[in-house]
């Protein structure tokens, strides 16, 4: 068989040392042969190569392998290679700052690469995946409430939630808690990330965010929106207070659903948070307080459309029972 197949059948590590590389563009038929041998070796050393040839090696791997490439260098001759890679790391040293200026990340010494990958790189992937999953979940839950309401308003395109709430839902009410989680969350201490490199494995296989995880987040948002709408609809349909006043108007019902929505998605991000800091507490509990303050301020000071609706709902025990029931039903399985 070929040399690559022979190496693949052997047990143990091999090292490939190449003294100068002829441009792969001049010999395209040798690309796969070189890559086939290189991928069966523990180490591949290319010495006496030009900056362009360094970049060609990186582009060769990117072309034929489904992998994320990282290039690290400390001099001007590494700039092409750093720019060709998916992730470029520059080492600030005696050879100038060209590599640092062309890189995505800069470190002072080569030995810091281990912590950059195993700790900060892994945390970055972990946090970003949690951020994306939660972001899709909360917006599916928010948007699909209007879909369920369409069945009760004759598909007239009337919105369930007030226009001001729709405008600031992602801007004020639900943005800071998930940003705090994306900034500070940790699942393991740095010492354990160093001690157990297999923790890096989910990132290699894209296990924390993929089509399956997106589907789960979308389904969770779908179910959340349905429960968010149906339980208040059952509680407030033809609802009257002790004096016979009707509490089933559109404005009051929309205020109830909006309030429960903010409470549920904020409680969900609290459950998703693995590492609590003072900023997590401020953003999570502060967002809930800010929602009520801004709602009352807007309705009473600026005379919003839903003036008095939330206050009227909160004065009745049905609101508190509905809020508790909906929250427990949605969060208990989680």
């Amino acid at each position: 068989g070929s040399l690559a197949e022979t190496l693949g059948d052997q047990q143990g590590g091999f090292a490939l040392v190449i003294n100068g590389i002829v441009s792969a563009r001049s010999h395209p038929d040798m690309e796969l042969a070189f890559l086939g041998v290189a991928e069966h070796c523990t180490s591949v050393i290319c010495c006496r190569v030009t900056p362009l040839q360094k970049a060609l090696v990186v582009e060769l791997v990117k072309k034929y392998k489904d992998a994320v490439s990282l290039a690290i260098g400390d001099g001007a001759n590494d700039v092409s290679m750093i720019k060709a890679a998916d992730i470029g790391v520059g080492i600030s040293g005696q050879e100038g700052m060209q590599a640092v200026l062309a890189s995505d990340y800069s470190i002072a010494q080569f030995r810091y690469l281990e912590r950059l990958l195993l700790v900060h790189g892994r945390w970055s992937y972990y946090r970003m995946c949690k951020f994306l999953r939660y972001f899709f979940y909360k917006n599916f839950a928010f948007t699909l409430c209007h879909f369920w309401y369409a069945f009760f308003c004759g598909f007239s395109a009337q919105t369930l939630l007030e226009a001001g709430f729709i405008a600031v839902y992602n801007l004020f009410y639900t943005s800071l808690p998930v940003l705090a989680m994306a900034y500070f969350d940790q699942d393991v201490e740095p010492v354990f990330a160093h001690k157990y490199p297999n923790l890096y494995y989910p990132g290699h296989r894209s296990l924390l965010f993929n089509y399956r995880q997106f589907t789960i987040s979308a389904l969770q948002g779908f179910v959340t929106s349905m429960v968010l709408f149906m339980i208040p609809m059952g509680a407030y349909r033809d609802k009257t207070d002790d004096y016979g006043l009707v509490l089933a108007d559109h404005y009051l019902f929309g205020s109830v659903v909006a309030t429960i929505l903010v409470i549920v998605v904020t409680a969900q991000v609290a459950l998703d948070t693995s590492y609590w800091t003072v900023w997590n507490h401020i953003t999570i509990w502060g967002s809930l307080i800010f929602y009520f303050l801004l709602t009352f301020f807007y309705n009473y000071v600026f005379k919003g459309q839903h003036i008095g609706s939330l206050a009227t709902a909160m004065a009745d025990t049905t609101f508190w029972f509905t809020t508790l029931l909906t929250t427990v039903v949605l969060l208990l399985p989680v």
Side-chain angles (χ1 to χ4, degrees), residues 86-262:
D86 296 305
I87 303 171
V89 180
I91 302 176
S92 57
Q94 299 179 352
E95 297 194 29
M97 297 293 292
Q98 290 90 336
V100 171
L101 295 175
S103 64
D104 301 301
Y105 301 95
S106 174
I107 56 179
Q109 298 179 26
F110 185 82
R111 63 189 178 94
Y112 296 150
L113 180 63
E114 181 184 17
R115 182 176 178 85
L116 178 66
L117 293 177
L118 297 183
V119 179
H120 297 289
R122 183 182 170 279
W123 277 349
S124 178
Y125 173 73
Y126 171 77
R127 293 164 178 169
M128 184 57 64
C129 291
K130 292 186 72 172
F131 171 85
L132 291 173
R133 293 199 304 265
Y134 175 78
F135 188 84
F136 284 118
Y137 151 75
K138 76 181 182 72
N139 282 288
F140 272 104
F142 162 63
T143 306
L144 292 177
C145 286
H146 299 283
F147 171 75
W148 302 116
Y149 183 65
F151 291 94
F152 295 86
C153 69
F155 295 92
S156 62
Q158 182 181 20
T159 59
L160 169 64
L161 307 175
E162 195 261 335
F165 177 86
I166 296 174
V168 299
Y169 172 76
N170 279 311
L171 183 62
F172 292 145
Y173 298 149
T174 61
S175 60
L176 293 181
V178 68
L179 287 177
M181 182 179 69
Y183 278 132
F184 304 112
D185 207 34
Q186 304 174 18
D187 59 339
V188 295
E189 296 291 337
V191 61
F192 295 113
H194 275 288
K195 187 176 181 180
Y196 304 105
N198 282 338
L199 291 172
Y200 200 76
Y201 177 81
H204 276 297
R205 295 292 180 263
S206 299
L207 299 181
L208 299 184
F209 189 77
N210 46 43
Y211 288 115
R212 180 176 179 272
Q213 294 296 328
F214 170 78
T215 303
I216 292 175
S217 298
L219 289 176
Q220 184 183 5
F222 177 84
V223 173
T224 298
S225 68
M226 183 172 60
V227 175
L228 270 172
F229 180 84
M230 293 303 176
I231 290 182
M233 173 58 71
Y236 280 90
R237 189 173 181 84
D238 301 325
K239 163 74 177 171
T240 59
D241 65 4
D242 296 335
Y243 301 99
L245 296 177
V246 177
L247 294 179
D249 65 279
H250 168 255
Y251 289 156
L252 186 141
F253 180 69
S255 298
V256 171
V257 174
T259 303
I260 299 176
L261 171 64
V262 173

Side-chain angles (χ1 to χ4, degrees), residues 268-283:
Q268 181 65 55
V269 76
L271 292 178
D272 290 344
T273 301
S274 303
Y275 184 79
W276 285 83
T277 66
V278 63
W279 297 109
N280 295 97
H281 285 287
I282 291 174
T283 55

Side-chain angles (χ1 to χ4, degrees), residues 11 26 35 38 61 63 177 194-195 230 283:
Q11 299 295 326
S26 302
L35 185 62
V61 175
K63 181 179 179 181
H194 275 288
K195 187 176 181 180
M230 293 303 176
T283 55

